[in-house]
Amino acid sequence: MDAPLPASPARRRWLLNTGLGGAATLAGALGAGSLANLLNARPAFAADYKALVCVFLYGGNDGMNMIVPSDTSRYDAYAGVRRGLAIPQASLVPLAGIPYGLHPALGGLAGAWADGALAPVFNVGPLAQPLTKAQYRTAAPNSALLPGNLFSHSDQQILWETGSPDPLTRTGWGGRAAETLATLNPVISVAGTARYGSGLLQAPLVLPGPGATFGAYGLQPGDTWAPQLARKAAIDALYAQAQDADLADAYTGAQRNAFAMSARLAALVKTQPGDSGALPAIDAAFAPITAAGKITTGLGRQLYQLAKLIAGNATVQGSRQIFFASMGGFDTHGNQIVTGSPLEGDHARLLKELGDALGAFHAAMKALGLGGAVTAFTQSDFGRTFAPNNSAGTDHAWGNQHLVLGGAVKGGTSYGRYPELVLGGGDDVGQDSWELQGRWIPSTSVDQYAATLLGWFGASDSQLDTVLPNLRNFGAARRLGFL
Amino acid sequence: MNPAETTANAARRVAVLAVTAATLAACGGGSSGGASDATTMPLATATPVSVRDAVRLADQASFGPTEALIAAIRAQGPAAWIGAQMGLSVSRYSSGRGGEVHQYAVKDGDFCADKGSNCWRDWSSTEPLVWDFYRNAVSQPDQLRQRVAFALQQIVVVNNLEVSGTYGFRLYYNNLLDNAFGNYRQVLKKVALSPVMGDFLNNANNDKAAPNENFARELLQLFSIGTCELDSDGRLKGGACSATYGNDTVRAYAYALTGWTYPAGGATAWGCWPAGMNCRYYGGDMVPVAAYHDSAERKLLAGVTVAAGSAAPAALEAVLDSLMAHPNIAPFIGKQLIQHLVSSNPSPAYVARVAAAFGSGRFGSIGSGQKGDLAATVAAVLLDAEARGDTVARSGGKLREPAQMFAGVLRALNGRTDGDALSWWWGDSLREHVFRPPSVFNFYPPDYPVPGTSLVGPAFGIHGANAALERLNYLTYLLDRGGSSASADVPGAVGTVVDLSAFTADAADAAALVDRLSVLALGQALPAAPRDQVIQAVAWWTDKTDPTYWQTQRVKAAAYLVFGAPNYQVQR
């Protein structure tokens, strides 16, 4: 289905350069009226609702300890390199049917595995094209064969969020998908203004957590006292005025949009567990991470908010919605484990928060009968070095293991190719003695991972090529099969 | 950029250079003698500073205009005012407790057991420093230094999320205040030797046997040269990103930076580990430990090599030499200073002029002549034609970041604060809780792309629908709800309040009141159509609608609308 918004680079350039009084912002050029009004004019999809939930793990999650091979020869190879960081084999959460186990802190996902709603995807990372070790080693500096600025947090976060090998890419693959597929709302983020949700024209809609007041005091639709109405009229006039700077036009567009969104969503955003407007099915699912009426973890609060927004589709509107949530703190250069106690430490704490929150979210979706309509997936800056450093931690690497979760997921099996556990081996970027740390060249690209998710979400092949321009470099292997 | 420099702007630029020379020779800020700017300009008589230009400078070089500050800038002229600012004594941070928090050696004891309910706050957290930050920002005279230090702390970032110890952060940020007009090499050296940074990015106790790369990587990527090779105007060399360094270079720097431990003085119940290293302690610079320092020859950037057999201090000097010699450092740091003070999207020519000042260490007669001179660089940022004058290009300006907005409104309205409400409440709400950025990548990246434009807007990286409305709610809090009263829990508390009494005298004439506040906040009146609506909203309050408080209500309404206006929220 074609969207009236720009799909071709040429049309995008036209819009950016269009001489509307020199304004480089579409919203500003249109004058009064919010971007939301513009976008509401587009056709919505049919009634079957689908949602994608990106859970970004900032800092670089150590996938090698998140999911561990459990067959003897590979476990021994793993433990031989990981030494003090190795998770004891007997502690792994078994994944029936595949020779792998989860870090015990992810016990909250055991139910999803049993439901067939969970699948690992192995050795995923940013690539410009399929890449062999020989090509990596002989590539000239700044070669187009390689993604840019490997091993740098900010650049790799951008590559994952934008689905591009170029760290200068301005838009996220979530934002581009929302515009190309003409979803009613932009990407909705409950974790701040990440580039994942930025489109060419639209910023993501950033909402606060449960219990928060999402609105301007005194200027809500229900505030009808005369001096407040007069203030609102003045504010509206200030926001309707064309500005003399592009950043100011972007600002006023965002302000008008915020008021419109607040009018629609404020009540839904505010509901907390146990409130009269709360859904018992969601509250019950999140009960294991609720104490004294409040969700106990940051990701838990974010996913509770998303569960409400999904269930509240009649208010949020739209039949296709992309969401963004995140956790931070995964950059475990040190104290990844507690020396002598590999099941304790920062990584275990982070994985527990992740597993419990995702487990609650999955239970909520099932209880609402939306299990097959919602797919959650992890992303992260990069995996971490297979070999530990001297600070009980690991350093920046590349290809990583990820998880996809939802009723539509073809779970119970694994996808992608698990790396060969040999330092300096065929999958490790390193060769010389001083660089044998186990940084895996990805065997699956972010493009393929995203294309599989978006294909399920409703994107046609040509829309996939628009949102993920590098996808064509991966030939026929654009759907990985987990959806 | 200003498309064509007007005669007036050119004359003004010349004028400020002339005034600079005279003023700063008197302050001792640079060698005596006349202007020695390489692009020798003829001297001309000074033209008077407009209100608009004075307000622009106040937004760029202080935490915001006050009526008194506007008058002072107009009286002295920008260059003289900047010179005077650079000569003021430093308002350092002094709040919070001491190093005893890292000297507690009682087995099975609890340091906080006898320290009351504010133990973590006063001994471990940066909360006491937030009080100092906002007190300084709103009320202290050395405004430019406070602004520059705020910019520096967003480049060489540490945070109180992952490491704690109030006394250590106090030293760290006081170093930035002390060196704000010194040399950037000294800033980097104090950062590299800081035990807070050493703890935060794992260079404390970094061991040659398996060096942790965290500090080395971010030193290159964020604190000095960045990941892409740059021309002197800040643009990518060759128009695309050529990597400045590869992983092997990061490892070389990591090895060169091994062999430092905390200064002596710390203690724990279990002794200090690893053997040969000191306990965690932030009370001074890190000290070298030869046994942990890698002494192989290491090739660094810019043709600098760490000689085989070098000790840790010599290796650190080589590291700093290599970064200061790198062609990237001047545009990389210069452009970010422009972004923090003046504009998110400076023209390449503006960046080149500021980079030249960083590189030569001089701007006019300001500066020592040593590369990295921050006084020269800051003067170049503020006295450039693109920063001065009444008009700004469409690509100019920056979204006023939350900390700047909190302080700016308080300053303009003769307010005062102890900072208490601006941290866990408003700081967290608008995602700029000072001293607690989420990571070493600061609150937002310098290149955050603003959708719907071709520009970057770093502060948009923490903006969104919720923040959009919360900015207005901050004004409601301050104006309609009286801000915060002094808390008995905060030493020397004054709350967070404004004082509208200076403005109620003008309340009888709604248009005059609105214009007075607009001139204060914007340096000019609002555009005609919204100005009318604002005056109407203000004029609703009369002695009929509120016999007792109508004048104050008028000031509140006017202030809400002027400071809530996009014209204020996006500084230009």
Side-chain angles (χ1 to χ4, degrees):
Chain A
M1 182 182 294
D2 282 333
L5 271 189
S8 74
R11 186 137 191 266
R12 279 185 213 130
R13 273 196 296 278
W14 173 82
L15 267 175
L16 277 174
N17 294 333
T18 201
L20 290 159
T25 61
L26 184 60
L30 292 168
S34 72
L35 208 50
N37 289 337
L38 166 71
L39 300 170
N40 283 342
R42 290 175 295 162
F45 279 80
D48 62 316
Y49 179 82
K50 283 196 173 136
L52 281 173
V53 177
C54 176
V55 179
F56 205 104
L57 309 178
Y58 282 107
N61 176 38
D62 182 33
M64 296 305 286
N65 267 10
M66 181 174 77
I67 178 164
V68 178
S70 54
D71 56 286
T72 309
S73 73
R74 284 192 309 164
Y75 180 83
D76 289 347
Y78 157 86
V81 172
R82 278 258 148 147
R83 292 176 277 132
L85 257 65
I87 305 300
Q89 194 169 16
S91 304
L92 295 170
V93 174
L95 295 172
I98 61 173
Y100 298 90
L102 291 176
H103 189 296
L106 291 173
L109 290 174
W113 182 263
D115 287 348
L118 180 69
V121 188
F122 292 138
N123 202 12
V124 192
L127 287 171
Q129 58 174 66
L131 189 70
T132 65
K133 180 167 181 171
Q135 287 173 311
Y136 176 84
R137 303 284 317 170
T138 57
N142 309 303
S143 161
L145 290 178
L146 306 183
N149 293 324
L150 288 169
F151 318 117
S152 148
H153 281 293
S154 54
D155 297 285
Q156 296 307 300
Q157 287 164 13
I158 290 172
L159 297 197
W160 268 95
E161 290 183 35
T162 62
S164 155
D166 178 5
L168 299 175
T169 308
R170 289 174 59 98
T171 54
W173 69 259
R176 292 197 299 276
E179 286 178 340
T180 304
L181 273 67
T183 61
L184 194 77
N185 299 312
V187 172
I188 292 179
S189 168
V190 285
T193 320
R195 202 174 298 203
Y196 175 76
S198 286
L200 199 68
L201 298 178
Q202 303 178 69
L205 171 59
V206 180
L207 296 177
T213 300
F214 175 48
Y217 304 147
L219 302 180
Q220 310 277 54
D223 292 310
T224 51
W225 187 27
Q228 293 303 127
L229 289 176
R231 268 201 202 183
K232 181 66 166 54
I235 284 279
D236 287 344
L238 286 164
Y239 292 163
Q241 175 74 35
Q243 300 287 315
D244 59 356
D246 292 346
L247 290 182
D249 277 326
Y251 178 84
T252 55
Q255 295 301 112
R256 294 192 296 267
N257 216 38
F259 272 90
M261 289 300 175
S262 161
R264 210 205 291 172
L265 301 177
L268 184 55
V269 160
K270 200 165 176 63
T271 315
Q272 295 195 91
D275 286 353
S276 62
L279 281 181
I282 299 179
D283 285 5
F286 279 81
I289 52 171
T290 306
K294 297 253 186 305
I295 314 271
T296 55
T297 65
L299 184 65
R301 281 187 289 278
Q302 291 180 32
L303 294 183
Y304 180 84
Q305 195 70 314
L306 295 189
K308 279 166 43 189
L309 294 169
I310 290 167
N313 177 247
T315 307
V316 178
Q317 299 170 32
S319 60
R320 288 289 190 279
Q321 184 64 57
I322 302 176
F323 293 101
F324 183 83
S326 78
M327 283 178 67
F330 283 87
D331 191 28
T332 49
H333 284 279
N335 308 312
Q336 177 169 328
I337 53 119
V338 169
T339 307
S341 295
L343 300 187
E344 296 177 64
D346 287 349
H347 197 223
R349 180 182 47 78
L350 292 164
L351 288 180
K352 177 150 176 53
E353 179 171 341
L354 176 68
D356 288 353
L358 281 176
F361 180 73
H362 173 64
M365 293 299 102
K366 266 177 60 177
L368 294 170
L370 289 170
V374 180
T375 301
F377 59 96
T378 60
Q379 302 204 136
S380 189
D381 319 13
F382 33 59
R384 305 193 74 83
T385 50
F386 181 38
N389 62 26
N390 239 35
S391 320
T394 46
D395 293 311
H396 302 179
W398 190 359
N400 202 7
Q401 332 309 348
H402 283 283
L403 298 174
V404 291
L405 169 71
V409 170
K410 301 190 171 90
T413 182
S414 66
Y415 298 88
R417 180 176 71 73
Y418 195 81
E420 185 198 8
L421 295 177
V422 175
L423 297 179
D427 289 322
D428 184 357
V429 303
Q431 192 149 283
D432 298 321
S433 61
W434 51 268
E435 55 169 3
L436 300 182
Q437 292 150 292
R439 295 180 156 105
W440 313 127
I441 300 171
S443 43
T444 296
S445 74
V446 174
D447 315 66
Q448 296 166 293
Y449 186 68
T452 310
L453 293 160
L454 289 174
W456 166 81
F457 189 67
S460 67
D461 270 323
S462 80
Q463 287 173 322
L464 288 177
D465 285 322
T466 299
V467 175
L468 301 163
N470 256 34
L471 182 62
R472 52 176 53 91
N473 292 347
F474 300 92
R478 50 173 51 195
R479 310 271 181 126
L480 299 175
F482 56 78
L483 279 169
Chain B
M1 62 180 287
N2 284 329
E5 189 167 66
T6 63
T7 312
N9 278 344
R12 189 170 296 119
R13 176 144 63 104
V14 165
V16 301
L17 286 173
V19 177
T20 299
T23 311
L24 290 181
C27 290
S31 59
S32 61
S36 54
D37 183 37
T39 60
T40 309
M41 296 237 177
L43 303 183
T45 50
T47 41
V49 181
S50 68
V51 173
R52 174 88 185 106
D53 196 19
V55 169
R56 287 191 71 209
L57 181 61
D59 274 337
Q60 297 157 356
S62 80
F63 275 91
T66 64
E67 289 183 323
L69 178 57
I70 294 171
I73 291 173
R74 298 189 74 201
Q76 298 171 55
W81 182 82
I82 289 167
Q85 280 284 305
M86 289 185 176
L88 290 175
S89 59
V90 184
S91 300
R92 286 191 188 83
Y93 301 157
S94 57
S95 295
R97 303 305 300 271
E100 292 87 335
V101 67
H102 287 154
Q103 296 172 318
Y104 186 74
V106 175
K107 265 201 169 61
D108 298 325
D110 175 9
F111 176 80
C112 282
D114 59 349
K115 305 264 184 332
S117 58
N118 288 319
C119 179
W120 178 82
R121 184 193 74 179
D122 294 343
W123 292 89
S124 298
S125 86
T126 47
E127 191 66 4
L129 307 177
V130 177
W131 307 331
D132 289 347
F133 174 91
Y134 278 109
R135 278 189 245 250
N136 288 358
V138 173
S139 311
Q140 286 300 97
D142 58 332
Q143 286 284 304
L144 179 57
R145 183 182 293 274
Q146 300 293 323
R147 270 299 289 275
V148 173
F150 185 44
L152 291 175
Q153 80 185 196
Q154 296 191 59
I155 298 172
V156 288
V157 180
V158 291
N159 72 27
N160 182 221
L161 299 170
E162 295 167 48
V163 297
S164 60
T166 311
Y167 72 111
F169 285 97
R170 193 169 57 236
L171 274 172
Y172 187 90
Y173 294 118
N174 278 338
N175 279 335
L176 296 181
L177 283 165
D178 286 339
N179 288 298
F181 302 129
N183 195 289
Y184 195 68
R185 189 182 194 283
Q186 183 64 7
V187 171
L188 285 180
K189 182 166 181 175
K190 294 302 284 182
V191 165
L193 291 173
S194 162
V196 174
M197 176 61 78
D199 202 0
F200 182 58
L201 291 186
N202 314 116
N203 204 46
N205 298 347
N206 201 2
D207 172 4
K208 66 183 179 189
N212 186 306
E213 297 173 1
N214 202 5
F215 176 66
R217 187 179 295 282
E218 309 312 349
L219 173 65
L220 298 179
Q221 174 162 350
L222 296 175
F223 305 162
S224 60
I225 59 177
T227 51
C228 303
E229 293 196 334
L230 302 174
D231 286 329
S232 63
D233 64 6
R235 286 191 286 199
L236 298 176
K237 222 184 197 41
C241 180
S242 292
T244 329
Y245 53 86
N247 216 39
D248 48 350
T249 302
V250 172
R251 280 192 82 65
Y253 276 85
Y255 277 111
L257 289 162
T258 52
W260 294 94
T261 187
Y262 297 104
T268 76
W270 307 272
C272 303
W273 297 99
M277 300 300 215
N278 288 330
C279 285
R280 170 182 286 124
Y281 187 63
Y282 296 161
D285 287 345
M286 290 204 289
V287 299
V289 183
Y292 285 82
H293 175 67
D294 165 81
S295 53
E297 180 187 274
R298 296 288 168 187
K299 277 200 164 31
L300 304 181
L301 295 169
V304 174
T305 302
V306 180
S310 298
L316 174 59
E317 295 299 322
V319 163
L320 295 172
D321 288 342
S322 71
L323 300 176
M324 292 305 296
H326 196 285
N328 263 31
I329 194 167
F332 186 74
I333 298 300
K335 182 172 178 180
Q336 288 184 76
L337 287 175
I338 299 174
Q339 287 183 307
H340 279 291
L341 299 182
V342 176
S343 162
S344 301
N345 296 272
S347 69
Y350 183 13
V351 176
R353 292 189 288 266
V354 171
F358 184 101
S360 68
R362 288 185 88 76
F363 182 78
S365 67
I366 306 177
S368 60
Q370 283 214 287
K371 181 174 183 179
D373 191 289
L374 288 171
T377 311
V378 169
V381 169
L382 295 173
L383 294 173
D384 193 273
E386 205 156 304
R388 300 276 46 83
D390 287 8
T391 54
V392 177
R394 282 211 62 89
S395 58
K398 66 187 278 276
L399 175 60
R400 200 176 292 266
E401 62 194 288
Q404 195 189 349
M405 180 189 66
F406 300 152
V409 178
L410 285 164
R411 283 175 58 77
L413 299 176
N414 300 316
R416 60 191 192 284
T417 185
D418 51 36
D420 191 45
L422 305 175
S423 56
W424 295 100
W425 183 357
W426 289 104
D428 269 1
S429 172
L430 280 161
R431 290 191 275 138
E432 193 170 49
H433 183 156
V434 175
F435 309 131
R436 292 177 65 87
S439 76
V440 69
F441 289 86
N442 195 31
F443 300 103
Y444 44 66
D447 59 352
Y448 183 80
V450 181
T453 76
S454 56
L455 304 176
V456 304
F460 281 90
I462 51 173
H463 196 62
N466 191 52
L469 302 174
E470 283 285 88
R471 281 177 180 250
L472 294 176
N473 291 340
Y474 172 72
L475 297 173
T476 302
Y477 150 83
L478 208 56
L479 298 166
D480 299 315
R481 300 188 180 178
S484 298
S485 52
S487 161
D489 213 28
V490 174
V494 299
T496 297
V497 286
V498 293
D499 176 359
L500 304 178
S501 58
F503 303 99
T504 50
D506 275 346
D509 181 345
L513 174 63
V514 169
D515 286 341
R516 179 176 170 190
L517 285 168
S518 302
V519 164
L520 166 58
L522 314 173
Q524 58 195 356
L526 286 167
R531 176 179 174 274
D532 283 342
Q533 295 287 325
V534 171
I535 291 170
Q536 280 189 50
V538 170
W540 186 90
W541 297 98
T542 67
D543 57 1
K544 308 290 184 298
T545 55
D546 189 338
T548 326
Y549 295 115
W550 65 274
Q551 293 107 321
T552 306
Q553 296 286 25
R554 282 194 170 193
V555 177
K556 290 180 182 181
Y560 179 91
L561 292 167
V562 168
F563 290 101
N567 313 68
Y568 178 74
Q569 292 289 324
V570 178
Q571 165 194 341
R572 275 157 258 192

